[in-house]
Amino acid sequence: MITLGIESTAHTFGIGMVTDRGKILANVKDSYSSLNAGMIPDQVAEHHQLVKGEILKQALREAKIDLTDVDYLAYSSGPGIDPCLWVGYNFAKELSEKIKKPLIAVNHCAAHLSIGKLYNQLKDPVYLYVSGVNTQIIIEKTADRKSHYVVLGETLDIGLGNMLDKLGRIMGLGFPAGPGIEELAKGGKYLELPYVVKGMDASFSGILTKAQQLYERKQATKEDLCFSVQETCFAMITEVAERALAHTGKTELVLIGGVGANQRFCEMLQIMCKERKAEFYNVPIGLAGDQGAMIAWEGFLRKGQYGDGQYDDRQYGEGGVKPHWRVDEV
Ligand code: AMP
Ligand code: MG
């Protein structure tokens, strides 16, 4: 049984295919990037429109299957950027109608968590989900045999990835800026910045403002700012993650989302986990950020939501996309 997953919530258009045992047959993507701007919604949606056909072709080639071999189609229904979400939904709907296979709406955040759990074969982790727009610490709770996600802590303003991207834009690093910031940080030294943790939540916008002021007043180098922003923000999240482990008594911490590609971030979390005898897990770079394989896997896990899983065109009602769908509403 094969599920095809389509991702289009933000900068990435991706298509992945997984089997019912979680084997990834294909995971192809193309991400919008820009030398001097961030994500302009209509431009990103246009990017997705342009690449979607080719990505599908490549994914089918990689998986060595025909479209008609696909049993389920899953797509990211939200949260995300509205025009981008529609590109994914409309494409998924078109394919589903073409091959008469059921369409499954997937929560993008839940998909990140599920692929982290699958890849590392975890039982009951604390999830640290740090992407462009999201920064959340999440656990799974089961009541009456139904499990749902509980957000223990999150950003009070912007997600850490978006904050890094904004800093990058100010410093002329292009979009996305995370990898460039990681590189520059290697040559920097520490400057004090605001450290804002409130209970289990964190706030990044004040740090961004301070870093912007220092940069524009020529009071700090790019390297020092990158290093200090990384050290401060990663330490804040590590503190909250440690508290989550302490409160819940859980012993597995898994990092997912694009910022999880950062080696220094992983190192800090690894040290913290080791000190408190917990295990730290992450995913390879290709599964850290947005991609279609995670959507396919989450779609497969949720397929029961559509009765007997048969193709039924009544499921295409209103609400094909949900731009503000939180993971704790899944
Ligand atoms: P996602 O939304 O999960 O695809 O993650 C995208 C975010 O990850 C963007 O904000 C990137 O700047 C950020 N990112 C990617 N690579 C790195 C890195 N090496 N260090 C920090 N952030 C990164
Ligand atoms: Mg994401």
Side-chain angles (χ1 to χ4, degrees), residues 9-12 29 108 112 129-134 160-165 175-182 230 234 256-263 285 288-291 294:
T9 57
H11 49 90
T12 297
K29 65 177 185 175
H108 172 93
H112 273 292
Y129 171 33
V130 191
S131 67
V133 76
N134 294 288
L160 180 52
N162 283 4
M163 186 273 221
L164 295 174
D165 292 333
F175 172 86
I181 289 177
E182 179 170 16
Q230 279 199 176
F234 295 163
I256 51 267
V259 183
N262 191 292
Q263 291 303 307
I285 216 160
D290 295 349
Q291 23 74 32
M294 69 178 190

mmCIF file of all heavy atoms in Angstrom, residues 9-12 29 108 112 129-134 160-165 175-182 230 234 256-263 285 288-291 294, ligand 1:
data_model
loop_
_atom_site.group_PDB
_atom_site.id
_atom_site.type_symbol
_atom_site.label_atom_id
_atom_site.label_comp_id
_atom_site.label_asym_id
_atom_site.label_seq_id
_atom_site.Cartn_x
_atom_site.Cartn_y
_atom_site.Cartn_z
ATOM 1 N N THR A 9 2.964 24.083 2.320
ATOM 2 C CA THR A 9 2.502 25.090 3.290
ATOM 3 C C THR A 9 3.269 26.406 3.228
ATOM 4 O O THR A 9 2.730 27.455 3.543
ATOM 5 C CB THR A 9 2.611 24.576 4.737
ATOM 6 O OG1 THR A 9 3.971 24.205 4.978
ATOM 7 C CG2 THR A 9 1.711 23.393 4.975
ATOM 8 N N ALA A 10 4.556 26.334 2.869
ATOM 9 C CA ALA A 10 5.376 27.553 2.927
ATOM 10 C C ALA A 10 6.338 27.578 1.745
ATOM 11 O O ALA A 10 5.895 27.523 0.603
ATOM 12 C CB ALA A 10 6.094 27.626 4.266
ATOM 13 N N HIS A 11 7.634 27.629 2.008
ATOM 14 C CA HIS A 11 8.619 27.789 0.935
ATOM 15 C C HIS A 11 8.804 26.562 0.066
ATOM 16 O O HIS A 11 9.296 26.632 -1.047
ATOM 17 C CB HIS A 11 9.982 28.178 1.532
ATOM 18 C CG HIS A 11 10.385 27.308 2.673
ATOM 19 N ND1 HIS A 11 11.110 26.162 2.512
ATOM 20 C CD2 HIS A 11 10.111 27.392 3.999
ATOM 21 C CE1 HIS A 11 11.285 25.594 3.689
ATOM 22 N NE2 HIS A 11 10.683 26.315 4.621
ATOM 23 N N THR A 12 8.405 25.379 0.588
ATOM 24 C CA THR A 12 8.728 24.130 -0.113
ATOM 25 C C THR A 12 7.521 23.511 -0.799
ATOM 26 O O THR A 12 6.456 23.387 -0.202
ATOM 27 C CB THR A 12 9.300 23.107 0.901
ATOM 28 O OG1 THR A 12 10.514 23.644 1.419
ATOM 29 C CG2 THR A 12 9.580 21.762 0.256
ATOM 30 N N LYS A 29 11.695 17.461 -3.567
ATOM 31 C CA LYS A 29 11.148 18.787 -3.268
ATOM 32 C C LYS A 29 11.923 19.874 -3.974
ATOM 33 O O LYS A 29 13.040 19.663 -4.451
ATOM 34 C CB LYS A 29 11.175 19.031 -1.759
ATOM 35 C CG LYS A 29 12.563 19.087 -1.165
ATOM 36 C CD LYS A 29 12.468 19.403 0.313
ATOM 37 C CE LYS A 29 13.837 19.588 0.917
ATOM 38 N NZ LYS A 29 13.801 20.008 2.305
ATOM 39 N N HIS A 108 0.159 19.752 9.032
ATOM 40 C CA HIS A 108 1.584 19.820 8.719
ATOM 41 C C HIS A 108 2.467 19.611 9.959
ATOM 42 O O HIS A 108 3.488 18.924 9.895
ATOM 43 C CB HIS A 108 1.852 21.194 8.082
ATOM 44 C CG HIS A 108 3.269 21.515 7.867
ATOM 45 N ND1 HIS A 108 3.914 21.251 6.687
ATOM 46 C CD2 HIS A 108 4.190 22.089 8.682
ATOM 47 C CE1 HIS A 108 5.174 21.651 6.786
ATOM 48 N NE2 HIS A 108 5.368 22.166 7.986
ATOM 49 N N HIS A 112 5.344 16.586 10.917
ATOM 50 C CA HIS A 112 6.731 16.707 11.383
ATOM 51 C C HIS A 112 6.967 15.774 12.584
ATOM 52 O O HIS A 112 7.988 15.102 12.679
ATOM 53 C CB HIS A 112 7.012 18.142 11.852
ATOM 54 C CG HIS A 112 7.461 19.079 10.771
ATOM 55 N ND1 HIS A 112 8.682 18.962 10.139
ATOM 56 C CD2 HIS A 112 6.880 20.183 10.240
ATOM 57 C CE1 HIS A 112 8.816 19.949 9.262
ATOM 58 N NE2 HIS A 112 7.738 20.703 9.294
ATOM 59 N N TYR A 129 9.675 21.061 18.324
ATOM 60 C CA TYR A 129 9.343 21.346 16.924
ATOM 61 C C TYR A 129 9.744 22.788 16.617
ATOM 62 O O TYR A 129 9.091 23.730 17.065
ATOM 63 C CB TYR A 129 7.845 21.104 16.734
ATOM 64 C CG TYR A 129 7.266 21.533 15.423
ATOM 65 C CD1 TYR A 129 8.006 21.477 14.243
ATOM 66 C CD2 TYR A 129 5.956 21.978 15.346
ATOM 67 C CE1 TYR A 129 7.449 21.866 13.041
ATOM 68 C CE2 TYR A 129 5.392 22.365 14.145
ATOM 69 C CZ TYR A 129 6.154 22.309 12.998
ATOM 70 O OH TYR A 129 5.605 22.698 11.813
ATOM 71 N N VAL A 130 10.856 22.925 15.910
ATOM 72 C CA VAL A 130 11.394 24.265 15.662
ATOM 73 C C VAL A 130 11.603 24.445 14.160
ATOM 74 O O VAL A 130 12.568 23.957 13.580
ATOM 75 C CB VAL A 130 12.726 24.483 16.423
ATOM 76 C CG1 VAL A 130 13.120 25.954 16.357
ATOM 77 C CG2 VAL A 130 12.604 24.052 17.878
ATOM 78 N N SER A 131 10.645 25.150 13.554
ATOM 79 C CA SER A 131 10.698 25.330 12.095
ATOM 80 C C SER A 131 10.708 26.819 11.796
ATOM 81 O O SER A 131 11.077 27.629 12.643
ATOM 82 C CB SER A 131 9.487 24.651 11.473
ATOM 83 O OG SER A 131 8.320 25.344 11.856
ATOM 84 N N GLY A 132 10.289 27.174 10.568
ATOM 85 C CA GLY A 132 10.219 28.600 10.245
ATOM 86 C C GLY A 132 9.231 29.293 11.154
ATOM 87 O O GLY A 132 9.589 30.122 11.992
ATOM 88 N N VAL A 133 7.991 28.881 11.071
ATOM 89 C CA VAL A 133 6.937 29.627 11.762
ATOM 90 C C VAL A 133 6.622 29.050 13.136
ATOM 91 O O VAL A 133 6.052 29.728 13.971
ATOM 92 C CB VAL A 133 5.670 29.695 10.860
ATOM 93 C CG1 VAL A 133 4.934 28.394 10.843
ATOM 94 C CG2 VAL A 133 4.763 30.844 11.269
ATOM 95 N N ASN A 134 7.004 27.806 13.397
ATOM 96 C CA ASN A 134 6.623 27.162 14.665
ATOM 97 C C ASN A 134 7.798 26.953 15.602
ATOM 98 O O ASN A 134 8.876 26.560 15.165
ATOM 99 C CB ASN A 134 5.998 25.787 14.384
ATOM 100 C CG ASN A 134 4.679 25.918 13.652
ATOM 101 O OD1 ASN A 134 3.681 26.332 14.224
ATOM 102 N ND2 ASN A 134 4.696 25.606 12.368
ATOM 103 N N LEU A 160 11.286 30.598 15.758
ATOM 104 C CA LEU A 160 12.729 30.844 15.730
ATOM 105 C C LEU A 160 13.280 30.897 14.306
ATOM 106 O O LEU A 160 14.104 31.752 13.982
ATOM 107 C CB LEU A 160 13.459 29.782 16.563
ATOM 108 C CG LEU A 160 14.975 29.921 16.610
ATOM 109 C CD1 LEU A 160 15.415 31.331 17.014
ATOM 110 C CD2 LEU A 160 15.578 28.899 17.555
ATOM 111 N N GLY A 161 12.808 30.015 13.433
ATOM 112 C CA GLY A 161 13.300 30.029 12.040
ATOM 113 C C GLY A 161 12.985 31.356 11.359
ATOM 114 O O GLY A 161 13.848 31.960 10.706
ATOM 115 N N ASN A 162 11.763 31.826 11.529
ATOM 116 C CA ASN A 162 11.393 33.113 10.925
ATOM 117 C C ASN A 162 12.239 34.243 11.494
ATOM 118 O O ASN A 162 12.599 35.186 10.796
ATOM 119 C CB ASN A 162 9.910 33.424 11.167
ATOM 120 C CG ASN A 162 8.993 32.639 10.248
ATOM 121 O OD1 ASN A 162 9.456 31.796 9.473
ATOM 122 N ND2 ASN A 162 7.710 32.887 10.333
ATOM 123 N N MET A 163 12.534 34.148 12.776
ATOM 124 C CA MET A 163 13.367 35.175 13.400
ATOM 125 C C MET A 163 14.760 35.170 12.776
ATOM 126 O O MET A 163 15.310 36.219 12.429
ATOM 127 C CB MET A 163 13.423 34.906 14.912
ATOM 128 C CG MET A 163 14.134 35.975 15.660
ATOM 129 S SD MET A 163 15.896 35.671 15.709
ATOM 130 C CE MET A 163 16.217 36.140 17.354
ATOM 131 N N LEU A 164 15.319 33.973 12.582
ATOM 132 C CA LEU A 164 16.644 33.878 11.950
ATOM 133 C C LEU A 164 16.580 34.409 10.519
ATOM 134 O O LEU A 164 17.494 35.096 10.054
ATOM 135 C CB LEU A 164 17.139 32.428 11.963
ATOM 136 C CG LEU A 164 17.409 31.818 13.347
ATOM 137 C CD1 LEU A 164 17.748 30.336 13.214
ATOM 138 C CD2 LEU A 164 18.539 32.552 14.072
ATOM 139 N N ASP A 165 15.488 34.098 9.830
ATOM 140 C CA ASP A 165 15.342 34.578 8.448
ATOM 141 C C ASP A 165 15.235 36.107 8.396
ATOM 142 O O ASP A 165 15.773 36.753 7.482
ATOM 143 C CB ASP A 165 14.120 33.941 7.778
ATOM 144 C CG ASP A 165 14.298 32.436 7.559
ATOM 145 O OD1 ASP A 165 15.455 31.990 7.440
ATOM 146 O OD2 ASP A 165 13.292 31.714 7.513
ATOM 147 N N PHE A 175 17.251 34.459 1.593
ATOM 148 C CA PHE A 175 16.285 33.578 2.255
ATOM 149 C C PHE A 175 16.413 32.156 1.717
ATOM 150 O O PHE A 175 16.522 31.994 0.509
ATOM 151 C CB PHE A 175 14.855 34.087 2.003
ATOM 152 C CG PHE A 175 13.804 33.135 2.488
ATOM 153 C CD1 PHE A 175 13.390 33.176 3.806
ATOM 154 C CD2 PHE A 175 13.275 32.163 1.647
ATOM 155 C CE1 PHE A 175 12.445 32.273 4.277
ATOM 156 C CE2 PHE A 175 12.326 31.247 2.117
ATOM 157 C CZ PHE A 175 11.918 31.319 3.422
ATOM 158 N N PRO A 176 16.381 31.118 2.540
ATOM 159 C CA PRO A 176 16.354 31.132 4.005
ATOM 160 C C PRO A 176 17.743 31.391 4.573
ATOM 161 O O PRO A 176 18.751 31.002 3.965
ATOM 162 C CB PRO A 176 15.873 29.727 4.352
ATOM 163 C CG PRO A 176 16.317 28.877 3.203
ATOM 164 C CD PRO A 176 16.310 29.759 1.980
ATOM 165 N N ALA A 177 17.791 31.984 5.756
ATOM 166 C CA ALA A 177 19.071 32.472 6.275
ATOM 167 C C ALA A 177 19.715 31.545 7.300
ATOM 168 O O ALA A 177 20.875 31.744 7.661
ATOM 169 C CB ALA A 177 18.869 33.856 6.891
ATOM 170 N N GLY A 178 18.955 30.548 7.769
ATOM 171 C CA GLY A 178 19.482 29.686 8.835
ATOM 172 C C GLY A 178 20.870 29.124 8.550
ATOM 173 O O GLY A 178 21.784 29.270 9.373
ATOM 174 N N PRO A 179 21.095 28.486 7.388
ATOM 175 C CA PRO A 179 22.419 27.899 7.128
ATOM 176 C C PRO A 179 23.533 28.959 7.094
ATOM 177 O O PRO A 179 24.632 28.715 7.605
ATOM 178 C CB PRO A 179 22.243 27.247 5.754
ATOM 179 C CG PRO A 179 20.771 26.972 5.635
ATOM 180 C CD PRO A 179 20.093 28.097 6.356
ATOM 181 N N GLY A 180 23.240 30.134 6.520
ATOM 182 C CA GLY A 180 24.251 31.193 6.468
ATOM 183 C C GLY A 180 24.594 31.709 7.861
ATOM 184 O O GLY A 180 25.762 31.978 8.173
ATOM 185 N N ILE A 181 23.586 31.813 8.706
ATOM 186 C CA ILE A 181 23.808 32.265 10.086
ATOM 187 C C ILE A 181 24.663 31.240 10.831
ATOM 188 O O ILE A 181 25.594 31.586 11.552
ATOM 189 C CB ILE A 181 22.449 32.517 10.783
ATOM 190 C CG1 ILE A 181 21.814 33.789 10.182
ATOM 191 C CG2 ILE A 181 22.611 32.639 12.298
ATOM 192 C CD1 ILE A 181 20.437 34.137 10.697
ATOM 193 N N GLU A 182 24.367 29.969 10.613
ATOM 194 C CA GLU A 182 25.164 28.914 11.276
ATOM 195 C C GLU A 182 26.635 29.023 10.866
ATOM 196 O O GLU A 182 27.537 28.893 11.696
ATOM 197 C CB GLU A 182 24.606 27.527 10.922
ATOM 198 C CG GLU A 182 25.405 26.415 11.572
ATOM 199 C CD GLU A 182 24.770 25.031 11.471
ATOM 200 O OE1 GLU A 182 23.844 24.832 10.652
ATOM 201 O OE2 GLU A 182 25.217 24.149 12.223
ATOM 202 N N GLN A 230 22.364 32.788 18.094
ATOM 203 C CA GLN A 230 22.257 31.329 18.202
ATOM 204 C C GLN A 230 22.385 30.874 19.653
ATOM 205 O O GLN A 230 21.570 30.117 20.148
ATOM 206 C CB GLN A 230 23.357 30.652 17.378
ATOM 207 C CG GLN A 230 23.066 30.555 15.911
ATOM 208 C CD GLN A 230 23.919 29.491 15.198
ATOM 209 O OE1 GLN A 230 23.732 29.264 14.027
ATOM 210 N NE2 GLN A 230 24.836 28.832 15.873
ATOM 211 N N PHE A 234 19.067 29.296 21.318
ATOM 212 C CA PHE A 234 19.149 27.849 21.516
ATOM 213 C C PHE A 234 19.170 27.514 23.014
ATOM 214 O O PHE A 234 18.580 26.525 23.452
ATOM 215 C CB PHE A 234 20.393 27.260 20.825
ATOM 216 C CG PHE A 234 20.368 27.387 19.313
ATOM 217 C CD1 PHE A 234 21.535 27.231 18.568
ATOM 218 C CD2 PHE A 234 19.190 27.650 18.635
ATOM 219 C CE1 PHE A 234 21.521 27.327 17.183
ATOM 220 C CE2 PHE A 234 19.165 27.749 17.243
ATOM 221 C CZ PHE A 234 20.333 27.596 16.522
ATOM 222 N N ILE A 256 12.564 18.208 15.658
ATOM 223 C CA ILE A 256 12.146 18.191 14.253
ATOM 224 C C ILE A 256 11.904 19.620 13.779
ATOM 225 O O ILE A 256 11.767 20.533 14.582
ATOM 226 C CB ILE A 256 10.856 17.346 14.007
ATOM 227 C CG1 ILE A 256 9.754 17.745 14.947
ATOM 228 C CG2 ILE A 256 11.118 15.869 13.977
ATOM 229 C CD1 ILE A 256 9.636 16.956 16.235
ATOM 230 N N GLY A 257 11.789 19.806 12.468
ATOM 231 C CA GLY A 257 11.634 21.149 11.899
ATOM 232 C C GLY A 257 12.971 21.624 11.360
ATOM 233 O O GLY A 257 14.035 21.138 11.769
ATOM 234 N N GLY A 258 12.917 22.574 10.425
ATOM 235 C CA GLY A 258 14.107 22.994 9.690
ATOM 236 C C GLY A 258 15.266 23.490 10.533
ATOM 237 O O GLY A 258 16.438 23.272 10.175
ATOM 238 N N VAL A 259 14.992 24.125 11.679
ATOM 239 C CA VAL A 259 16.078 24.645 12.511
ATOM 240 C C VAL A 259 16.875 23.487 13.136
ATOM 241 O O VAL A 259 18.020 23.651 13.559
ATOM 242 C CB VAL A 259 15.530 25.636 13.572
ATOM 243 C CG1 VAL A 259 16.652 26.247 14.400
ATOM 244 C CG2 VAL A 259 14.727 26.758 12.893
ATOM 245 N N GLY A 260 16.265 22.310 13.120
ATOM 246 C CA GLY A 260 16.935 21.105 13.604
ATOM 247 C C GLY A 260 18.151 20.732 12.765
ATOM 248 O O GLY A 260 18.939 19.871 13.156
ATOM 249 N N ALA A 261 18.314 21.380 11.619
ATOM 250 C CA ALA A 261 19.514 21.134 10.798
ATOM 251 C C ALA A 261 20.750 21.763 11.442
ATOM 252 O O ALA A 261 21.878 21.458 11.047
ATOM 253 C CB ALA A 261 19.309 21.719 9.401
ATOM 254 N N ASN A 262 20.561 22.628 12.424
ATOM 255 C CA ASN A 262 21.686 23.364 13.015
ATOM 256 C C ASN A 262 22.484 22.485 13.991
ATOM 257 O O ASN A 262 21.950 21.989 14.988
ATOM 258 C CB ASN A 262 21.151 24.606 13.730
ATOM 259 C CG ASN A 262 22.257 25.549 14.145
ATOM 260 O OD1 ASN A 262 23.054 25.225 15.010
ATOM 261 N ND2 ASN A 262 22.308 26.696 13.504
ATOM 262 N N GLN A 263 23.761 22.326 13.693
ATOM 263 C CA GLN A 263 24.621 21.439 14.492
ATOM 264 C C GLN A 263 24.811 21.926 15.920
ATOM 265 O O GLN A 263 24.841 21.152 16.865
ATOM 266 C CB GLN A 263 26.003 21.297 13.827
ATOM 267 C CG GLN A 263 25.978 20.535 12.523
ATOM 268 C CD GLN A 263 25.387 19.150 12.697
ATOM 269 O OE1 GLN A 263 25.812 18.377 13.547
ATOM 270 N NE2 GLN A 263 24.357 18.840 11.918
ATOM 271 N N ILE A 285 18.959 15.632 7.681
ATOM 272 C CA ILE A 285 18.604 16.947 7.154
ATOM 273 C C ILE A 285 17.419 16.885 6.168
ATOM 274 O O ILE A 285 16.529 17.738 6.181
ATOM 275 C CB ILE A 285 19.865 17.603 6.535
ATOM 276 C CG1 ILE A 285 19.856 19.098 6.797
ATOM 277 C CG2 ILE A 285 20.059 17.284 5.102
ATOM 278 C CD1 ILE A 285 21.220 19.732 6.666
ATOM 279 N N ALA A 288 14.298 16.880 8.190
ATOM 280 C CA ALA A 288 14.138 17.907 9.241
ATOM 281 C C ALA A 288 13.171 18.994 8.787
ATOM 282 O O ALA A 288 12.232 19.348 9.491
ATOM 283 C CB ALA A 288 15.492 18.507 9.606
ATOM 284 N N GLY A 289 13.393 19.530 7.602
ATOM 285 C CA GLY A 289 12.542 20.609 7.103
ATOM 286 C C GLY A 289 11.308 20.057 6.396
ATOM 287 O O GLY A 289 10.995 18.859 6.471
ATOM 288 N N ASP A 290 10.613 20.919 5.707
ATOM 289 C CA ASP A 290 9.368 20.525 5.046
ATOM 290 C C ASP A 290 9.654 19.602 3.863
ATOM 291 O O ASP A 290 10.575 19.840 3.081
ATOM 292 C CB ASP A 290 8.643 21.774 4.531
ATOM 293 C CG ASP A 290 8.197 22.673 5.678
ATOM 294 O OD1 ASP A 290 8.263 22.228 6.839
ATOM 295 O OD2 ASP A 290 7.780 23.801 5.395
ATOM 296 N N GLN A 291 8.862 18.549 3.724
ATOM 297 C CA GLN A 291 8.963 17.622 2.596
ATOM 298 C C GLN A 291 7.691 16.780 2.534
ATOM 299 O O GLN A 291 6.885 16.802 3.471
ATOM 300 C CB GLN A 291 10.222 16.728 2.680
ATOM 301 C CG GLN A 291 10.821 16.522 4.056
ATOM 302 C CD GLN A 291 10.045 15.601 4.937
ATOM 303 O OE1 GLN A 291 9.423 14.669 4.460
ATOM 304 N NE2 GLN A 291 10.053 15.819 6.250
ATOM 305 N N MET A 294 6.846 13.157 4.939
ATOM 306 C CA MET A 294 6.180 13.239 6.254
ATOM 307 C C MET A 294 4.664 13.398 6.086
ATOM 308 O O MET A 294 3.888 12.909 6.900
ATOM 309 C CB MET A 294 6.764 14.381 7.095
ATOM 310 C CG MET A 294 6.461 15.772 6.600
ATOM 311 S SD MET A 294 7.154 17.019 7.724
ATOM 312 C CE MET A 294 6.386 18.512 7.044
HETATM 313 P P1 AMP B 1 10.809 24.336 7.897
HETATM 314 O O1 AMP B 1 9.742 25.395 7.987
HETATM 315 O O2 AMP B 1 10.629 23.234 8.874
HETATM 316 O O3 AMP B 1 11.087 23.841 6.510
HETATM 317 O O4 AMP B 1 12.159 25.061 8.351
HETATM 318 C C1 AMP B 1 12.640 26.187 7.665
HETATM 319 C C2 AMP B 1 13.439 27.045 8.601
HETATM 320 O O5 AMP B 1 14.626 26.366 9.027
HETATM 321 C C3 AMP B 1 13.888 28.346 7.960
HETATM 322 O O6 AMP B 1 13.514 29.405 8.808
HETATM 323 C C4 AMP B 1 15.406 28.190 7.876
HETATM 324 O O7 AMP B 1 16.120 29.405 7.987
HETATM 325 C C5 AMP B 1 15.689 27.280 9.056
HETATM 326 N N1 AMP B 1 16.966 26.574 8.916
HETATM 327 C C6 AMP B 1 17.356 25.767 7.902
HETATM 328 N N2 AMP B 1 18.633 25.338 8.096
HETATM 329 C C7 AMP B 1 19.049 25.905 9.267
HETATM 330 C C8 AMP B 1 20.283 25.879 10.006
HETATM 331 N N3 AMP B 1 21.343 25.193 9.583
HETATM 332 N N4 AMP B 1 20.337 26.592 11.155
HETATM 333 C C9 AMP B 1 19.267 27.295 11.591
HETATM 334 N N5 AMP B 1 18.099 27.363 10.939
HETATM 335 C C10 AMP B 1 17.988 26.678 9.788
#
